[in-house]
Structures are given as C-alpha cells and as structure tokens.
Amino acid sequence: MKIYDVVIDYELVSSFDINELIKNLILPIKKEGVYLDCFTSLNSNIEELKNNSLIKEFSLEEIEVLFFLNDIDIRTTLYKLSKNATLSEEVNSNFISEFFSILIKKSIESRSSDIHIESFEKSLVIRFRVDGNLKIFYIFEKSFSSIISSYIKMLSKLDITNIRTPMDGRFSMKYENKNYDFRVSTMPTIYGESIVIRVLDNEDITKDINNLGFSKNILKSFYSITKLTQGLVLVSGPTGSGKSTTLYSILKKFNKQNKKIVTIEDPIEYKLDKVQQIEVDESIGLGFDTILRNILRQDPDVILIGEIRDVISLKVALQAALTGHLVLASIHANNSIETLSRLVDLDANRYLLSTTLKYIISQRLVLKICRTCKKEGCTKCNFTGYYGRSNLCEVLKVDDELSTKILKDDDIKKYLESISYQTMLDDGKKKVEEGITTLRELYKVIEN
C-alpha cells in the first residue's frame, strides 16, 4: 500500500492517545469492524493495539509515521472539512473556504514556495515544495478534487467549468497582516486536474544580499558589481537555483535615486520598489524581442533581463552593455566555464563578449542542517533533518587576462586552474567544514 493511495481517517487517529501512537510509532489508517489498518515501521510496537483489534500492518518509514502523526489538530480539522464539503453541497462554500484558508496558512508557516494539488486514481494529494523538495502533506478523498478545483478557480477568476485546457490565474490573501500573492496554474491529467499554486513572498525575494548564505569573499564581489556603471553581469544555474533572488537582491543595493533601473520579465512575479518593470505579453505584441529593441530609448542606467534565452536577447544585452549600460541577466548553465560555452553556442561575438562581460556568478542552493535536531528530524524541519537553504557560489571576474583569452579562444579552464580559481565545490566544502550542510547534500546538488 502506497501512502499517496491512502486517505488516513484522522477522526480515528485523534481518538487514540497521540503521545502513545508517537511513542510506539503507529499510524492508524482506517477501521472496518474488528480490523484496524495501520502504518508501522521497523521500530514500531504494535502490541499496544492488539488487545482491541486485529491489526493489518503496512510499511512506512519511521520519519514518515512521525510526520503524519504531527500537527494532529490541523490534520483532523482539514480531514473533517474535506468530508463535509464533499457531502453537503448546500453549505460546502463555508467548509471549503475554511479548508483553503487553513491550507494557505499552513503552506506559509511551512515556508512553501509551491502548493501542488494533484489528482490520482484513488485520492487527492496535496504536496508542498519546501526548500526545493516536494513532500506529501495531506491526502483526501478523490471526490474532493472537483470542489477544491472550483474554489481555487473562483478565487483566481478562472472559468470553473473548464477542466480540459490549461489555465493561469492569480489571487491574493492576507496572513498575519501581510499580503501574499499566489500564481495559479491548472493542467488536465488522466485522473483529473493538477493545480500548482506558487506562493509569492515579496519580502523573501528582496532579502538583503547579506542574508542569503553567501560566503564573505562572494559578497565582496557583489559589492564590486554594484559599483559598475556598464558591462554585462550574468547569474547562471539550473532552474530553482536562486538566480532571480540573487539578481533582485543585487538590484536592491543600487542607489535608485540617481539611477533608472528597468527590468524585462516573463512573467513579473514580484513588484520592486522604484524599479520600472516590463512584463512580456505576446498576446498584445509586447514580445521579448520588441521590448529589447526599444528598451534603450528609455534611457536606463541598469537593465535586468530575466533570462538570456536566445541569440537575439544575447545580442541586445551585449549591445546595451557596450553602449554604456549595466546589464544584469540570468542564463541556464551549470558553472562559469559552461556559461562561457553557452554564450559561444548562442553566437556571441567574441570581441563584444571580451569587451563587455564583467562577472559570471554561478550558484546552487544546498539544504542546511536543522539547528534544532541536528539531522535527527523534528517538527520544525518536517522530520527531514534540514531547515532552510544556503547558497553555493563561484564568481568569475573577467580581468584583462581572461578577457584576452575569451577573445582568442584560449584554454580558459587551464588558466583558472593556474590561478587557483575557487569553484562552487570549494565553496561547498567550506560550508561542510562549518557544519552548515552535509557532504551528501553537497554532492547531490553539485552533480545535478
């Protein structure tokens, strides 16, 4: 029996002494007559329940048993609300409204970046992405899927009758006197709909650069970048490596009183103070290329391009950097050397590249050891042993020597080895030595 196929009866669970269930590592699932289905692990003591029922055991990892026994009041409340909303069409708007409000609050408290609401053959599964990893938080009856889908579409001003085509929408909610924006994506699947809600926290995306876990030598390079008046600065890494957060945090360090800062984004997720943000919208002819071709007429000092994605965007970025503008942009590449290769693949003019490129920042996000439980797993870290993430980073400054090698297509890797260039792996090893993360997490991140 797989956990995502099982709807745990939390009214049943809460009828037991929760502390005893935790002590004996027993997670009741459902009861039918004298039979009691339970999840247990290798260290479970099932003898405690055998006097009252015939036990059917199903295997589950110990930390998962503890996780699903945690936060029992909220789990029980959500379970009851989902049942009531399904059974009572007349008043289900009240039940689903309360359900969804609790769900959103829990996602924020859990530091989720995304909420995944997924229809499976036998159940509706809700997963939160926390610190980059997806984890199942709640499982409900399959019949509940259409109700929660309709409610989310209503909030997002989407067509609640449309279940056959993808849709995108947004809504806002307040939690503890703070406004949160949520971006919604719906997608039809073979068992129903998949709904993903991105949690947009403006305070998180504009964190001070000093609070993102960068090493001191990396921060010095960032301060140097904010003193530049022209050139190209690239932040590289795979999807989900924190590129946007780094770019926005660097922007925050510029003096916006005497500089005009313009961004091109697809889409705009976070609103930045004293920054002119332009959103790509192909439906009205405001495409990426059109914006790029016209942006220099806005007399910008600093231009942020959400992503260098093709030959045209790179060409405009290089041209803008050559004509006295500072251009910040993200690009998909694994490290600094691969970033240079990627630029060449995009037909970058080597002369322009060697003249304009100032810095390449390559980064990843690595899980931090939970300071509360020190890898054992506790309620604060959702029994994962990790809480929060830190940046692994390498910064390649394009000095005169490197600029010449880019122009002449010399062996850059050999040159970097000769100057003992500090890579992301080197940065990560320092964080392992400092007890910030583990060697296992470091290599998992670097190798992906």
Side-chain angles (χ1 to χ4, degrees):
M1 183 183 293
K2 303 295 184 184
I3 185 67
Y4 50 77
D5 286 331
V6 177
V7 179
I8 298 167
D9 182 347
Y10 274 100
E11 288 186 277
L12 170 66
V13 177
S14 59
S15 69
F16 291 91
D17 184 325
I18 299 302
N19 292 326
E20 286 299 310
L21 292 178
I22 292 172
K23 176 183 174 183
N24 295 296
L25 295 173
I26 302 168
L27 174 59
I29 302 170
K30 65 178 181 180
K31 187 170 185 180
E32 293 180 338
V34 295
Y35 290 97
L36 178 64
D37 293 354
C38 295
F39 277 123
T40 58
S41 65
L42 289 175
N43 296 318
S44 296
N45 178 16
I46 202 66
E47 298 299 323
E48 291 294 319
L49 297 182
K50 281 189 175 178
N51 293 334
N52 302 318
S53 305
L54 296 175
I55 308 297
K56 288 197 292 184
E57 294 183 64
F58 300 92
S59 179
L60 190 65
E61 289 185 24
E62 181 175 317
I63 57 172
E64 290 299 293
V65 171
L66 290 171
F67 175 71
F68 284 102
L69 286 172
N70 178 48
D71 220 3
I72 201 70
D73 291 340
I74 288 180
R75 291 184 184 278
T76 304
T77 299
L78 289 176
Y79 175 80
K80 289 178 179 178
L81 288 170
S82 71
K83 298 286 282 186
N84 288 333
T86 304
L87 293 173
S88 178
E89 292 185 5
E90 294 180 3
V91 291
N92 67 18
S93 61
N94 293 328
F95 291 127
I96 188 60
S97 175
E98 185 179 353
F99 175 96
F100 195 70
S101 178
I102 293 172
L103 183 70
I104 290 295
K105 289 177 182 178
K106 182 62 182 177
S107 73
I108 292 170
E109 290 169 358
S110 301
R111 303 174 297 108
S112 307
S113 62
D114 302 87
I115 305 166
H116 289 243
I117 301 171
E118 302 165 312
S119 294
F120 286 87
E121 184 177 9
K122 300 176 182 178
S123 61
L124 176 75
V125 173
I126 297 181
R127 299 193 287 173
F128 292 168
R129 188 179 293 280
V130 181
D131 294 333
N133 294 323
L134 273 173
K135 184 176 180 63
I136 295 175
F137 268 67
Y138 307 107
I139 307 164
F140 302 100
E141 298 286 352
K142 178 70 179 289
S143 55
F144 185 53
S145 59
S146 61
I147 295 170
I148 193 169
S149 170
S150 295
Y151 186 78
I152 292 169
K153 288 174 184 175
M154 180 193 71
L155 281 180
S156 310
K157 296 180 172 58
L158 298 175
D159 182 359
I160 65 173
T161 65
N162 184 358
I163 60 173
R164 297 183 180 277
T165 57
M167 294 188 293
D168 296 311
R170 297 174 80 104
F171 66 90
S172 299
M173 290 182 73
K174 183 173 283 190
Y175 174 64
E176 292 188 345
N177 297 318
K178 180 179 173 182
N179 288 317
Y180 287 83
D181 294 323
F182 301 87
R183 195 182 76 202
V184 176
S185 169
T186 72
M187 182 73 67
T189 71
I190 129 183
Y191 292 121
E193 285 183 292
S194 170
I195 301 173
V196 178
I197 303 172
R198 170 65 57 88
V199 183
L200 303 174
D201 182 353
N202 278 291
E203 288 187 10
D204 185 61
I205 199 69
T206 55
K207 279 181 179 176
D208 190 279
I209 200 76
N210 295 295
N211 299 326
L212 295 177
F214 288 108
S215 302
K216 289 183 179 178
N217 61 309
I218 302 295
L219 288 173
K220 288 181 181 178
S221 297
F222 290 166
Y223 294 136
S224 298
I225 289 170
T226 62
K227 303 302 180 185
L228 293 173
T229 57
Q230 65 180 47
L232 176 63
V233 176
L234 295 175
V235 179
S236 71
T239 300
S241 58
K243 299 188 296 295
S244 295
T245 302
T246 298
L247 282 169
Y248 288 140
S249 296
I250 291 174
L251 274 189
K252 200 177 177 186
K253 288 297 181 183
F254 283 95
N255 184 343
K256 302 188 185 77
Q257 297 297 328
N258 59 19
K259 289 187 183 297
K260 175 152 187 169
I261 301 175
V262 182
T263 74
I264 310 169
E265 302 171 72
D266 183 17
I268 292 173
E269 293 188 346
Y270 302 95
K271 296 173 184 176
L272 304 175
D273 186 40
K274 298 184 181 68
V275 173
Q276 300 297 306
Q277 295 174 270
I278 306 169
E279 183 169 76
V280 175
D281 189 346
E282 298 284 357
S283 66
I284 60 171
L286 196 61
F288 207 84
D289 301 347
T290 302
I291 298 170
L292 283 169
R293 282 195 297 268
N294 290 277
I295 197 168
L296 296 185
R297 298 173 188 171
Q298 287 288 304
D299 187 30
D301 295 292
V302 182
I303 302 169
L304 185 148
I305 301 174
E307 182 186 344
I308 298 290
R309 56 178 69 182
D310 53 28
V311 173
I312 294 173
S313 56
L314 176 58
K315 183 178 179 180
V316 174
L318 289 171
Q319 193 62 43
L322 187 68
T323 54
H325 305 84
L326 179 59
V327 180
L328 308 178
S330 71
I331 188 168
H332 284 269
N334 288 324
N335 52 49
S336 299
I337 292 177
E338 286 192 22
T339 301
L340 289 170
S341 299
R342 171 84 173 124
L343 294 170
V344 173
D345 289 342
L346 289 173
D347 293 331
N349 180 294
R350 282 193 174 274
Y351 171 74
L352 288 180
L353 196 59
S354 64
T355 305
T356 61
L357 187 60
K358 303 300 181 184
Y359 285 89
I360 298 175
I361 302 165
S362 299
Q363 68 178 71
R364 296 287 193 286
L365 293 172
V366 66
L367 291 171
K368 296 196 297 184
I369 296 170
C370 176
R371 311 321 295 175
T372 302
C373 67
K374 308 289 187 182
K375 294 189 293 185
E376 295 299 320
C378 64
T379 57
K380 184 173 182 178
C381 65
N382 295 318
F383 298 92
T384 64
Y386 297 93
Y387 184 90
R389 290 186 289 179
S390 183
N391 273 286
L392 304 182
C393 191
E394 63 183 52
V395 177
L396 179 60
K397 180 180 180 181
V398 182
D399 55 18
D400 291 341
E401 181 74 19
L402 186 54
S403 175
T404 301
K405 290 188 177 298
I406 292 172
L407 179 62
K408 295 181 177 180
D409 194 18
D410 285 348
D411 190 340
I412 293 172
K413 186 175 182 180
K414 185 177 180 181
Y415 168 69
L416 294 181
E417 289 173 353
S418 72
I419 62 171
S420 301
Y421 175 65
Q422 295 295 296
T423 66
M424 273 186 288
L425 183 58
D426 296 323
D427 189 37
K429 286 179 178 178
K430 290 179 185 176
K431 285 182 165 60
V432 172
E433 291 173 3
E434 294 166 0
I436 294 171
T437 189
T438 63
L439 204 58
R440 177 185 174 185
E441 283 300 312
L442 169 62
Y443 280 103
K444 186 171 77 173
V445 168
I446 292 294
E447 290 171 0
N448 286 342

